[in-house]
Amino acid sequence: MAEQVLLTGASGFIAKHVALRLLNAGYDVRGTLRRLDRADEVRAALAPHLGDRAGTLSFVQADLEADAGWTEAMAGVAALVHTASPFPVAQPRDANLLIRPAVEGTRRVLKAAQAAGLKRVVLTSSTAAVINDGKPNTLQDEADWCDVTLPETTAYAKSKTLAERSAWEYARASGLALTTINPGLVLGPPLDEHYGTSLYLVERILKGRDPMLPAIGFPIVDVRDVAEMHLRALQRPATEGRRYIAAAGTLAMVDIGLVLKAAYPVRRIPTRVAPNLLLRALALVDPGVRAILPKLGHLDRVSNARAVQEMGMEFVAPKAALLASADWLVKHGRIWA
């Protein structure tokens, strides 16, 4: 009988790819959804990619902000993959709108896992929980943590950092065997048109919404590599108690523009760096611009050495992940060719 894995937030961009990897590896997957009417959406996204020997897929209703459903969700599962977490398009004025559900939701899920006698947990965190803005433009790794006390730390970074720290504290106290996967900016092809906010950056640049690009850069990873790391974490007991950065390298925004302009030369894609003063003015009316102000002048860089050495990962290059995103958006009519 196949082992069953509980996958939280199963309708998410990353989670659908994780579900696909798990199913094709022979695991049975039980996905949590806030609304069960999204179950058919997830099934339809996965169905074209499932092999003949895939495991079975089922769903249960459960919400990070409520206790109901989690006891039933955990019944009979061998492992938990916790991907569910809020991801905003723009930073909220009240940071607690992100922090509270992320931290309390993580605690709620881990508590239910412990109560069910479950031991193995893989949690999706973020490089936002790794990158310390007090050390800009330096190569950072799993030993680093975001400093939530810095005034420039965003609400999203605080939410991911505090949620992950809470998970490690709970795991140490309860004996849960925890592994965290910390992805950078997740690009690559979605499995359907419900991909949340992860590809909005690429969509925005392809649409030429901005005449210039901010002087910032992100660690980038392909969603298929993120999913593979979740699978390898489950399959390798040696990963227990470890953090793993999921990133193939860093691209500056202007380099993202140049790559996309080369691929789509007729599109009005920006390729110049915007003056910081202009961005600060735009931030007064555009929440999306306001969200990146603390990162101006930063080229965030992280090391993937641990994932390469301990998991055997061979990452899709950042440029290839970016172009896979853009090609999907154009092919599926999200961007007119």
Side-chain angles (χ1 to χ4, degrees):
M1 185 176 179
E3 284 190 338
Q4 187 165 61
V5 176
L6 181 69
L7 174 66
T8 69
S11 61
F13 171 46
I14 294 174
K16 284 173 182 164
H17 276 275
V18 173
L20 181 61
R21 279 290 198 278
L22 293 173
L23 289 165
N24 279 335
Y27 291 94
D28 292 340
V29 175
R30 180 186 297 162
T32 73
L33 298 169
R34 284 185 297 170
R35 303 193 333 262
L36 285 178
D37 60 5
R38 297 195 67 181
D40 287 343
E41 166 200 318
V42 180
R43 287 193 179 97
L46 299 180
H49 310 282
L50 292 174
D52 294 337
R53 303 184 66 181
T56 61
L57 176 65
S58 61
F59 297 95
V60 63
Q61 187 170 10
D63 190 318
L64 289 181
E65 298 192 65
D67 292 332
W70 289 107
T71 298
E72 294 79 7
M74 298 288 174
V77 301
L80 165 67
V81 177
H82 180 41
T83 72
S85 184
F87 188 101
V89 176
Q91 300 297 318
R93 293 188 182 275
D94 181 0
N96 284 319
L97 293 176
L98 275 179
I99 294 170
R100 183 182 55 80
V103 175
E104 293 182 2
T106 296
R107 281 273 179 168
R108 176 172 285 112
V109 172
L110 295 185
K111 184 178 178 180
Q114 182 195 17
L118 189 152
K119 291 294 183 184
R120 190 68 177 103
V121 179
V122 178
L123 180 144
T124 313
S125 184
S126 171
T127 53
V130 171
I131 295 166
N132 183 343
D133 286 332
K135 302 194 296 183
N137 305 317
T138 61
L139 185 68
Q140 301 187 49
D141 61 22
E142 289 87 353
D144 290 294
W145 283 90
C146 166
D147 185 347
V148 297
T149 68
L150 295 176
E152 60 265 36
T153 301
T154 65
Y156 175 70
K158 289 178 181 178
S159 74
K160 299 305 291 189
T161 304
L162 294 173
E164 189 187 341
R165 282 198 178 277
S166 180
W168 284 114
E169 290 169 4
Y170 194 90
R172 283 191 291 268
S174 64
L176 291 176
L178 175 66
T179 302
T180 66
I181 308 298
N182 296 68
L185 177 66
V186 183
L187 301 181
L191 291 176
D192 64 7
E193 296 188 1
H194 303 277
Y195 50 81
T197 57
S198 296
L199 299 190
Y200 283 176
L201 173 67
V202 181
E203 192 173 316
R204 181 175 181 129
I205 294 174
L206 282 171
K207 287 180 176 178
R209 282 191 56 188
D210 308 295
M212 292 178 281
L213 297 168
I216 59 175
F218 311 99
I220 289 173
V221 65
D222 191 287
V223 65
R224 294 163 291 188
D225 286 337
V226 178
E228 180 65 21
M229 287 179 68
H230 284 74
L231 173 62
R232 294 189 188 190
L234 276 184
Q235 293 176 329
R236 302 183 184 204
T239 65
E240 295 173 9
R242 307 281 275 171
R243 305 172 87 196
Y244 290 90
I245 288 172
T250 292
L251 285 179
M253 285 284 283
V254 68
D255 292 326
I256 292 174
L258 289 167
V259 168
L260 294 177
K261 183 66 174 178
Y264 300 94
V266 300
R267 300 195 63 84
R268 297 179 60 183
I269 294 171
T271 58
R272 293 184 297 158
V273 178
N276 290 352
L277 187 61
L278 173 62
L279 290 172
R280 295 187 190 283
L282 289 174
L284 297 175
V285 294
D286 190 329
V289 175
R290 190 181 312 127
I292 58 94
L293 288 183
K295 290 289 189 180
L296 288 180
H298 291 199
L299 192 66
D300 292 333
R301 297 187 301 121
V302 292
S303 171
N304 64 13
R306 179 177 289 179
V308 171
Q309 293 166 7
E310 298 183 10
M311 286 188 173
M313 288 298 300
E314 296 180 5
F315 287 97
V316 173
K319 179 180 176 180
L322 171 62
L323 290 175
S325 303
D327 291 348
W328 189 95
L329 290 168
V330 171
K331 180 180 178 181
H332 289 82
R334 306 296 294 210
I335 308 292
W336 291 277

